[in-house]
Amino acid sequence: MQLRPQALTPEIETNHGMKGIVAYSLGALAAVIAFASCVKTEGSGADSTARDSSTASAAACAGDNGGIKLPDGFCATVFADTIGHARHIVVNSNGDVYVNTWSGDYYTTPAPSGGFLLAMRDTNNDGAADIIRRFGPDSLRGNGGGTGIAIYQGALYAEELGRSAGRIVRYAISTDSMTPTTSASEVIVSALPVSGDHPMHPFVIGQSGDLFMNSGSASNSCQIKNRTLESPAKKPCTELLTRGGIWRYAANRTNQRFSAAERYATGIRNAVGIAFDPGGQLYSTQHGRDQLRENWPKLYTVERGQNLPAEELLKIEQGGDYGWPYCSYDGRQRNLVLGPEYGGDGGKAVGDCATKKGPEAFFPAHWVSDGLVFYTGSQFPAHYKDGAFIACHGSWNRAPGPQQGYNVVFVPFAGGKPVDPAKYEIFADGFAGANKSPDAAAHRPTGLAQGPDGALYITDDKAGRVWRVVYKGAAK
């Protein structure tokens, strides 16, 4: 079933999927219809209604927290549902929520009708958006949506992926209109590479106007034949000139063009989560490489292939080299080791990896750490202050063992660093439902954002759901 919107309004679909189409049960379909009946979808135009963020935490929570499990004292509402493949998310100072959605080779469902960017507003403080608007170029104009999104100096910045290149654009928005008053956008950075395994470009903008952007690797481990049994490596890995790192641009400057010259840090396979800590230090997540066992069975057992390498939380420094593709992180040994393509012996040899930068914290292999936000609010208990929330999209390559992840984890910080590099807490779980696998999972957590009232927002790029998590416990 589809409820067809007018121009610039969201499309409510019942079969979003990641590498597969999910068929909703009749009960789930009824829930979608019930949610849709509460949402006012509009075209472009001004709307003077603004949220009072100071009362937002008073919203009633769903009895089942929208299908997820949370620690005692926390509860969640479904802020929006079936909005498309919701990737990263940002919340404006007045509580308006913006989401970038994506359609591409990762997905089998049709592109939405209308633009890939969504503006959402909760006018009655019940924890659910009752105004939802789509804007930006649609698939008919060659746009495929994107992941990255940010607000800086009152403007909305977003990634747009084309068929041959991507770009970051800027829209003028206001708290009155929600969406841009004109359809025109300004190009901040163009010619972003979109080929290969990781075409997304998440980014974050600092107070000084520096825009830090991920350029994910085009390959798994820079083999001559990507993801192929015992294929040797490219030496050197020339892919690193334009991929596998973080680039820096100026958010206030238009018509910049992507090039190797603006590379800020290297050796990062895919930094989908990227954020500043409360002190202004840049961090990113790193997706560890895949297929150690499949591509190098003489060196890695099935068990080691499932559990290596670790996912990482990196402290990003200018000029830093974090190892990819030459090295990967072994959480058991707590050090970087040489990859098999570059002379590794299955996990003992270190070689040049001793000169690379390791992580500040690490997580189980293949959990796919996609979203990152440092909690600076006062609504949650003091335990969460200044710590890092990370959305783990979920594994696909831990077979024949069970797949893992599909959750949101929390890393406690103290004194500007993790309390323990190996310590993390599962904050939110149950997104996948009964089956933790990309095709069968009900939801896959992807993006995170903090609202002005301290609420935590979580996106799902499988079924297009957005949760709003608040704390209602008596004591902090």
Side-chain angles (χ1 to χ4, degrees):
M1 173 184 175
Q2 284 187 344
L3 304 180
R4 292 292 181 184
Q6 298 175 355
L8 300 178
T9 61
E11 184 171 59
I12 300 176
E13 299 185 5
T14 60
N15 60 344
H16 296 287
M18 182 74 154
K19 294 184 179 178
I21 297 177
V22 178
Y24 280 76
S25 66
L26 290 176
L29 180 59
V32 169
I33 295 172
F35 179 84
S37 67
C38 298
V39 175
K40 178 182 179 183
T41 58
E42 298 186 352
S44 59
D47 186 302
S48 60
T49 306
R51 291 184 65 215
D52 178 3
S53 62
S54 65
T55 62
S57 60
C61 287
D64 65 349
N65 292 323
I68 61 174
K69 300 174 184 177
L70 296 165
D72 290 345
F74 290 88
C75 66
T77 55
V78 176
F79 187 80
D81 212 353
T82 62
I83 62 171
H85 301 294
R87 296 288 288 176
H88 281 187
I89 181 171
V90 67
V91 187
N92 207 353
S93 59
N94 71 330
D96 286 347
V97 175
Y98 294 86
V99 174
N100 202 351
T101 64
W102 190 18
S103 178
D105 293 341
Y106 278 63
Y107 309 100
T108 60
T109 49
S113 175
F116 286 89
L117 294 168
L118 290 100
M120 298 181 283
R121 178 175 288 174
D122 173 9
T123 63
N124 58 6
N125 298 316
D126 66 351
D130 46 281
I131 299 176
I132 300 179
R133 298 174 178 173
R134 283 193 180 274
F135 63 98
D138 59 18
S139 60
L140 298 179
R141 288 184 278 177
N143 184 28
T147 294
I149 191 167
I151 292 175
Y152 177 68
Q153 293 187 344
L156 183 76
Y157 292 70
E159 174 195 18
E160 295 178 353
L161 295 178
R163 295 184 180 92
S164 59
R167 62 183 189 170
I168 293 174
V169 300
R170 178 173 64 195
Y171 290 94
I173 58 172
S174 74
T175 55
D176 291 332
S177 66
M178 292 175 60
T179 54
T181 54
T182 174
S183 61
S185 63
E186 297 177 290
V187 175
I188 302 301
V189 187
S190 64
L192 305 181
V194 296
S195 61
D197 290 358
H198 305 117
M200 63 286 289
H201 301 90
F203 62 89
V204 66
I205 303 174
Q207 292 183 355
S208 65
D210 285 333
L211 185 155
F212 294 95
M213 180 196 76
N214 167 59
S215 181
S217 70
S219 66
N220 177 36
S221 56
C222 210
Q223 291 173 287
I224 292 174
K225 292 185 178 180
N226 189 31
R227 301 181 183 269
T228 299
L229 177 67
E230 297 181 355
S231 173
K234 299 175 183 178
K235 299 179 181 180
C237 180
T238 55
E239 185 180 324
L240 288 169
L241 293 173
T242 58
R243 310 294 289 269
I246 290 176
W247 269 248
R248 180 174 63 179
Y249 292 93
N252 293 314
R253 187 183 309 160
T254 59
N255 298 316
Q256 299 166 94
R257 187 175 178 85
F258 179 84
S259 76
E262 288 78 33
R263 189 178 67 184
Y264 185 81
T266 191
I268 307 171
R269 183 172 174 269
N270 197 22
V272 179
I274 184 167
F276 292 101
D277 77 0
Q281 172 62 51
L282 183 64
Y283 281 81
S284 84
T285 60
Q286 167 155 239
H287 292 179
R289 60 162 297 162
D290 305 321
Q291 298 168 306
L292 284 170
R293 164 64 181 181
E294 291 84 349
N295 290 347
W296 302 95
K298 296 176 184 177
L299 296 176
Y300 290 89
T301 64
V302 170
E303 187 275 334
R304 285 172 61 78
Q306 291 173 10
N307 294 294
L308 292 173
E311 304 283 73
E312 302 173 60
L313 177 64
L314 305 176
K315 184 178 181 179
I316 303 302
E317 298 176 354
Q318 185 172 8
D321 185 342
Y322 297 84
W324 183 89
Y326 308 103
C327 315
S328 61
Y329 194 76
D330 186 325
R332 297 169 174 178
Q333 300 182 84
R334 296 203 181 190
N335 62 274
L336 291 163
V337 298
L338 278 173
E341 297 87 354
Y342 293 92
D345 56 5
K348 296 180 180 179
V350 173
D352 289 343
C353 299
T355 67
K356 312 297 184 183
K357 292 184 176 295
E360 297 296 298
F362 60 93
F363 316 97
H366 312 305
W367 278 26
V368 189
S369 44
D370 269 8
L372 172 64
V373 68
F374 286 86
Y375 189 78
T376 60
S378 57
Q379 183 189 128
F380 288 10
H383 171 70
Y384 297 95
K385 188 74 170 181
D386 299 340
F389 286 100
I390 299 170
C392 298
H393 200 225
S395 68
W396 60 268
N397 57 337
R398 292 183 64 96
Q403 302 301 334
Q404 295 181 5
Y406 303 86
N407 52 30
V408 174
V409 303
F410 175 74
V411 179
F413 270 59
K417 62 182 180 179
V419 172
D420 182 334
K423 182 179 180 180
Y424 66 90
E425 306 163 8
I426 296 180
F427 176 78
D429 206 354
F431 295 92
N435 296 297
K436 287 190 173 184
S437 70
D439 291 336
H443 306 281
R444 302 186 74 182
T446 305
L448 299 169
Q450 179 187 310
D453 65 337
L456 181 70
Y457 291 80
I458 307 169
T459 65
D460 150 44
D461 74 350
K462 181 67 181 293
R465 182 169 290 185
V466 178
W467 291 264
R468 181 175 177 275
V469 179
V470 298
Y471 182 73
K472 288 182 174 291
K476 296 185 181 182

